Amino acid sequence: MPDVLGIWNDPGDVAEAVTRLRGRGYTDLETYSPAPFTEVDDAAIEKPSRVRLFTLIGGLTGVVTGYAMTIWMANDWQIMLGGKPFSSIPPYTIIAFELTILFGGLMTLIGLLVFGRLPSTKIDPAYSARFSAEEFGVRVRCRERDVAEVEALMRGHHAKEVSLVGA
Amino acid sequence: MFLACLLVALAGGAVGLAALLPDRADADETLVAASVCEAHELRARQAEDPSLQIQIPPEFDSPWPTRAACLSHAAAMDESTPGPIQPIQFSHKHHAGLYQIDCQYCHSGTDRSPVAGVPSVELCMGCHKQFPPTYDELEGIRTLKDHWKLQTPVEWVQIHRLPEYVQFQHQAHVRKGIACQSCHGKVEEMDKVYLVPDTKWWPWLLPTQKLEMGWCIQCHRANGASQDCVTCHY
Amino acid sequence: MAELDRRDFLKLVSVSAGGAAAAGCSDHVEKLIPYVVQPEEIIPGKAIQYASTCLECPAACGLHVRTREGRPIKLEGNPEHPVNRGALCALGQASIGRTYHPDRYAKPRLRGAGGAYEEIGWDKATALLAEKLGAAGGRVRALTGELGPTLGSLFDRFLAAAGSSGGRLHYEPFGYEALREASRAVFGAGVRPIFDLEGADFVIDFGADSLETWLSPVEHARQIESAREVTSAEGREARLIYVGPRLSMTAGNADEWLPAKPGSEGILALAIARVAFDAVRSAGRPVGGDPGLLEGILAGFDAESVASRSGVPAETILRIGRAIAQAKRPAALPPGVALTSRRATATTAAVLILDAVVGAIGTTVLLPAEAAAAPEPASFREILKLVDAMASGQVAVLMLGGVNPVHSLPPGAGFADALAKVDFVVSFASLPDETSERAHLILPDHTPLESWGDAAPQPGVRSLVQPSVRPLFDTQALGDSLLQVGRAMGDSVAAQLPAGSFRSLVEAAWSGTDFRAALIRGGVFEAAPRGGALPVAASAARIEFKLPQFEEAGPYLVLPVPSPLLHDGRGANLSWLQETPDPVTKVAWQSWAEISHETAKALGVERGDVVAVETGFGRLELPALPRGGIRDEVIAIAIGQGHTVGHYASHDAEGRAGEARGVNVIALLPPLTDESGGRAWLTARAKVTATGAHARIAQLQFTDNQRKRQLAESVSLAALAAGDGAAHGEAHGGEHGSHEIRRPYDPVNDAVPESPYRWGMAIDLDRCTGCSACVVACSIENNVPQVGEEWVLRGRQMPWIRIERYLGDGEADLENGRRRPEDREKLGDVDVRHSPMMCQHCGAAPCEPVCPVLATYHTPEGLNGMIYNRCIGTRYCSNNCPYKVRRFNFFDYQIESWPEPMRLMLNPDVTVRGQGVMEKCTYCVQRIETARQDAKNAGHPIADGAITPACVQTCPTHALQFGNLKDPQSGVNQRIEGNPKRAYHALHVLNTRPGSTYLAKVSRGAEPEEGGHS
Amino acid sequence: MTPPPAESVAAMIRPVPRAPDSKVNRDLLAVMEGASLGYWALLGLSVAFVGLAGGIWIYQVYKGLGIAGYIHPVFWGAYIVTFVFWVGIAHAGTLISAILFLFRAKWRNAINRSAEAMTVIAVLTAAQFLGIHVGRIWKSYFILPYPNQRGLWVNFKSPLLWDTFAITTYATTSIVFLYVGLIPDLAIARDRAVGWRKLLYSVLSLGWQGTSRQWKSHNRSVLHLSGLATPLVLSVHSVVSWDFAVSIVPGWHATIFAPYFVAGAIFSGFAMVLTMMIPVRRIYGLEGYITNYHFENMSRFILLTSIIVAYAYGAEYFMAWYSGVESEQTAFYRRAFGPYWISTWTMILCNGVFPQLLWFKKLRTNVPFLFVLSVLINIGMWFERYVIIITGLSSEYDPAAWGIYTPSWYELGIVAGSFAFFAHLFLIFLKIFPVVAIAEVKEIAIHERSHAHAGEH
């Protein structure tokens, strides 16, 4: 099936075009933008990213590890220090806190990689260096006979160029 | 483990002695012993193979040194077995094992002092000067007697060594009835003493080797002994 | 001690090599080297003690030499010995270092043609000396130190046999010849009196350094301080008054200090005597002599006239006179070295007359029978005679043993030049010094730890010297050298000498006694009276009491002060004594000139500015140390430094050998004697000028102002006497008492409940004199490195105890000590607090929680444990220690600090710390563990007193006590409970719950009846 | 609809024309290209200093810490001072990236990248001092709670353990933060680079294409990381301050320390950003992106934090006086008028007084002035730590054990080396990574453009 690629300069137009295209049932589409534009991204995918889940898990693991490790280690071999209790929570809270941040941060990175499909070895043929300049692109995969309609839709939303990629 | 080393020792001893023997060119030649130890060896061979013709010169026809002594002596200088070669081919197996001499007879003070102590040349000679001169064919015995004659000390190689920041108390352990073997291994079965490897495992699946701190601590924990740091470190 | 001879030292060395070996060499092959023949009394790993005698000074304290595998590792006092009763001074503690000293002569040495020494064999050396003696034709003289009866008499017999004319002179730099001559003049008895201060309730010290170097300092310190024990009513009555121009260590421990004009002590004593005389008479008590005679002597010395001449107010004289007259066991002590002027005999006589008037003769001041008296050193006049003889070539062979006259005689005496005129000089020194280095032949003697011998310091005390180690080097006992030389000189001489070895000679000399018992006890001690009383003789009337003359070269009177640590300089080559700061000025490794602030202003110098001190006899340059506690016209310089020979005595800050360390004040003094031929020290006035140069002073204490922080407290008698209802807080007395001493916490709970022990210490500031013996004892027991002047200057000293010296409660004001160390001393103010500061073993120790790796922690028995091999050296524990008692190994001190063969004296029970780890006082945990094992083996709990840390063991005044705080009956608890008003914890406000409890110093008034004044 | 005629479709098939690159890319990527002689000289110099310091450090490990100027009882010195200094510097980066991000302060975009880079480099620099100042570095692994044959753990009650964890976390998180932000820019570089750079950026950019999915996760990650980094940045310097605050040392033991140190850290961090960015902007002609408006905003922050710091100074003295605790009072009196008065007054002038000039807009926008001021502030902040640490230790509770510390030349050499270390890493960073966040700059640029465009309609 051919890939139709439209090129825009304005994120607003892209957003409309994408909404329209998806409304027409062209759900197999991909957008390329030089910078994050929520209007475009939300038009393409409604659901918010699930990275948040990873962060949460990471954080919780951290806090549990923090307290568990400190308290267990202090009691595995009890050593008196300045007459302080073996399981003294306030100092251990600091450790727990730091681990929360540490694990949360790492899990967030992993989340980014998972949901951003990264790292990916192959570059989409539709992608080009102009999208890392200041232009926007929308690639729609459609049946041969729908190509014209897609093109029309794109041009209708001020696409400055429309082309077929890797037919 | 220990059996293996015992066999090695025996074999080593046998080999060592066999090497001394004139090799048998043809069957009907009689083998002549050149030492008491050889005599023991020849008798042993003849027991296996009665056809063997042996001749024991009268000066070598003596029970002393015993065959066990000969074998232990040979095993104690066998480099193929673990453990360093000591200046004297002294066999704990022979003394503590075969003759059942109590550890503290030689390592006296072990129950009164932090250190076990190594017997003086005088103590060795106490017994050995009573032994028949035929023993002198053993190199170890000759070395010992030289030291006694020249009044020079024997420089033994230390095997069970703790770092100097560890203050170990032999007396405490001996008096509590901890067997010497639990740290030193079954020395009464060794011709040549060596550090018997021993590994204990922490619950978190980490090994700790013999004479390492964790190794001591596990025993201390098991026996409810002190886990206070200054018990050993000061 | 037959075993001793069979003990082969070198074989022992490596037995415990493991213990003493440098850290971090655990993987190389270690050899186990047992004995060839194991002496039956030796159990490897167990310490053995041999009783012997300390020969550092004529006091001759009893020793217990603690040995491990045949190596002495520590000296401790012999508890049975009547002189020191188990204690030792700093010098005695450090003297173990002589045996292992890197400087030691390993073989006999002969000076070659070029002046360089070559090592020769004993046979050759003996033959050579024999030949020289034979050729000398009687022109043989000997100059020796105190040798003890047996060796002394052998030496004399030898000289007689060798046909010596004049024989041997016994030379003691601190000879106190005036004592003997004065008692001859006053009592007609030519013996040196013995001062027995046991229970003395009123001691007035006319410049005798009775707590430092004078006669028998350990004994006197014990007697004086135990007489002043405040738990007893008599103790509270007892007083110590010091007369002298400078706030010395002794003065600092007195209840009153009279900074009289130096030289006026004699007339002051007479003035006091006169007041006392009237009081005693009116009380109808005897006055120790013919009243008429005494009245005549005292006639000219009324309080008013003396007051103007001595600078002591008349009312003070009257007050003291009345007080001493009322005292039950008074004692007046004549001047020590610093104040022996050219009128020393008269001054001493005056003090003895005071003693006689108040009835001290026969009670505290004993006159022994001539026969029983200890051997007296030759008078200075005789020494000078010998020098003349040498200079005029009348001496062919001079034998030197145990003396260093080149250093200790004034250059004006010309000893060095005279020595050059002697054909053949032989020295028996075992360590090189300025004198032995000038000898032609050196026959190295054993050190006392290697020798046989004996001493008779007092009537009834026969003290034995026995070897505790096989000689380290190819040396020979002096006695044996003499015997062999004698035999080499031919039968005629040999016939006059005893047969056998010197050891057999000693045994023969002791044949009358149970020798075995003597070997075990350390001697024979009889409780017989050491001396009696005599009335003042008519000859006393002929003494003329005048103020002494001085060699005028300037306005400042040179006060040569015996160093409490280095003594006359014999201690200078022992690193511990160099690195332990002077108890008064806290200066280590250096010489300094004490001047008053007024003088400093007049000279325009500040602390550390180098001044030139010039008398008609010499010129010295040294840094000035202005202080309040010294009279304006006096410049005080400690005796003992200024050596040019010796590993520790001579190296300068940069470590260059052969450079003099500090200055030798004796170089300023003229070779003058007092009226009766005794040596005079206080003889010259000097011109002092600023040189413009500046030197860094290695002063280890920043300030003596404790800023009212609860560090070294004091309590007035009045407050102590107040009823039990008095709150702890009120117990603080004196006008300083603006804050309260807080009751100590109960530290018992700072050990785990199951533990039967909570170790703790009591530190009695009222008994601590600041003598610093504990510092040296601790350093030797615990292998504490001595880092040297260069690093002390940079604050890297390592001692686990320091003696802090504070004046009064201090001021909290901020201006003081802002930039440079401050000094709060004032003339006449004696509120000096000596406070030993070591790890307090806190229950709530601030150092413990901050260590990231658990290297320091709290043991179940309440100790503050320090695990060297776990320490990574973050040094946070030290930052967080309010007492600042932790020391850090900035370098690997093992090599520099213990040059061969000194490493042989390392204590194998204590880990030698490597580079980069923290260390601190452990309450001598190794002794605790040893005691624990012994108790276990014996099957009973650790008994009270079974553990004595090194500092506690050596304290001459028993100021320290260690024990189990959980045991209410333990000595330490009794001590604390017995002094409820004095007990406190240092820096109480920080709530560190220390295990060490201090007992506040007691500020007594000058007079028994009034209290609360300080 | 009817299918289009085939030829039209055929006509459509033509290669996509190579689009002209955007100005933003060219300007900002230009920074990474080529290197002037000056650059190499600077780099060489800093590397040389790093080498020197390394040599000193090896000698110190061999000989012992004694070569430093420590004197009983001052057992912490220039090393810890410099450690705290660098941790402080590290704070601006995270603050600008994270907190300003959360507050949607768009002006941060131009400077956040360099600030983040600074953070990472500064933390790495700081972390080394933990190792440099311990007595037995070869045993310093004892501080890690790793399972070992001894069965012995570590003391989590010790502030030094807190430090270890805080610094590790901070380093890791900042690196993650920096990297996540870099990915799109690396893709931009990838699309334009050739040779080894092409390879490098292809690997590092993980095949980023700027699809919606990627941008969505990216935005979310940045948001979360900011959310995590904000409390982290506050915690790290609080923890560092507790090294002192939880001890009993007079002059250290104060509750104000945490906020005091955090403010000080931001203060010094911003100053360091200015010190670094003013020359960079000048040399690479980035005036269009890093405008005076940015500098002015940073000056405002500096002014604010300077006031907080100055207040803290005052508060310390007030508390010392008001507490009536003599040891505190003495410590603070000696701090101002004792042996260390020079350091103290340097600190007060540089951190408390000079920054007040920023009240004037003229000076806020005067770049040379800002540069000088920022350098002064850095000096002042180093002395602040010096004053706190050294004066605190030099006169504690026991007057008999007071001591006066002066750093030795060895110490100063290592301190200098740490600045060189920081500099050489930053220089290398300049040439490898985009020093301004290109994508974020574009985001704004394109928005403006499209609004303008919308205006035309």
Side-chain angles (χ1 to χ4, degrees), chain D residues 365-386:
Chain D
T365 49
N366 174 338
V367 177
F369 168 79
L370 286 181
F371 183 72
V372 175
L373 182 68
S374 67
V375 173
L376 283 178
I377 290 175
N378 287 323
I379 295 169
M381 286 308 291
W382 192 87
F383 272 105
E384 176 191 301
R385 279 63 179 249
Y386 186 84

Side-chain angles (χ1 to χ4, degrees), chain C residues 778-785 898 905-907 910-913:
Chain C
C778 170
S779 298
I780 292 174
E781 167 73 15
N782 292 298
N783 304 336
V784 175
W898 294 285
M905 68 176 281
L906 288 170
N907 182 352
V910 179
T911 309
V912 177
R913 283 76 62 187

Side-chain angles (χ1 to χ4, degrees), chain B:
Chain B
M1 179 59 228
F2 133 75
L3 264 178
C5 93
L6 179 56
L7 291 176
V8 172
L10 278 171
V15 170
L17 288 172
L20 302 170
L21 294 175
D23 87 24
R24 36 197 309 193
D26 49 70
D28 51 46
E29 187 191 341
T30 55
L31 298 166
V32 183
S35 73
V36 178
C37 286
E38 268 183 48
H40 290 311
E41 194 56 26
L42 288 178
R43 288 202 197 85
R45 287 227 216 142
Q46 194 182 38
E48 297 162 10
D49 159 14
S51 73
L52 190 70
Q53 313 203 346
I54 61 167
Q55 179 195 350
I56 315 285
E59 66 267 36
F60 300 136
D61 187 5
S62 151
W64 314 110
T66 60
R67 181 157 191 259
C70 294
L71 292 177
S72 292
H73 182 271
M77 64 175 127
D78 174 6
E79 274 154 356
S80 64
T81 56
I85 296 290
Q86 297 286 4
I88 292 182
Q89 296 82 342
F90 175 84
S91 162
H92 277 87
K93 171 165 167 255
H94 192 67
H95 294 80
L98 184 59
Y99 291 118
Q100 302 278 315
I101 302 172
D102 181 53
C103 303
Q104 292 194 40
Y105 180 79
C106 301
H107 302 282
S108 57
T110 314
D111 60 343
R112 291 169 292 164
S113 157
V115 304
V118 182
S120 62
V121 178
E122 184 190 34
L123 190 75
C124 306
M125 290 305 291
C127 299
H128 278 274
K129 72 163 78 87
Q130 307 160 13
F131 286 12
T134 46
Y135 267 87
D136 293 358
E137 78 172 59
L138 297 182
E139 184 194 343
I141 302 295
R142 289 201 303 276
T143 322
L144 173 68
K145 289 185 173 172
D146 292 348
H147 278 289
W148 181 240
K149 201 178 306 122
L150 304 172
Q151 288 287 301
T152 53
V154 187
E155 298 195 359
W156 301 97
V157 178
Q158 187 176 26
I159 295 168
H160 296 87
R161 168 162 175 70
L162 294 172
E164 50 284 334
Y165 51 74
V166 179
Q167 313 282 347
F168 181 77
Q169 293 279 358
H170 267 97
Q171 49 188 342
H173 294 81
V174 170
R175 282 173 175 264
K176 269 263 177 288
I178 312 287
C180 308
Q181 288 80 350
S182 45
C183 298
H184 295 279
K186 290 196 158 55
V187 280
E188 76 274 21
E189 294 167 351
M190 302 178 198
D191 281 314
K192 186 172 60 167
V193 177
Y194 60 99
L195 188 65
V196 183
D198 177 19
T199 307
K200 294 180 181 169
W201 291 83
W202 284 107
W204 49 91
L205 300 178
L206 197 88
T208 168
Q209 305 302 337
K210 168 172 263 177
L211 300 190
E212 282 182 339
M213 177 174 159
W215 187 82
C216 304
I217 287 300
Q218 289 201 353
C219 194
H220 270 232
R221 286 190 175 182
N223 298 317
S226 163
Q227 291 179 53
D228 182 13
C229 313
V230 294
T231 309
C232 306
H233 300 299
Y234 50 81

Side-chain angles (χ1 to χ4, degrees), chain D residues 44-60:
Chain D
L45 191 68
S46 43
V47 171
F49 261 93
V50 173
L52 175 74
I56 297 176
W57 176 69
I58 290 167
Y59 177 63
Q60 173 180 292

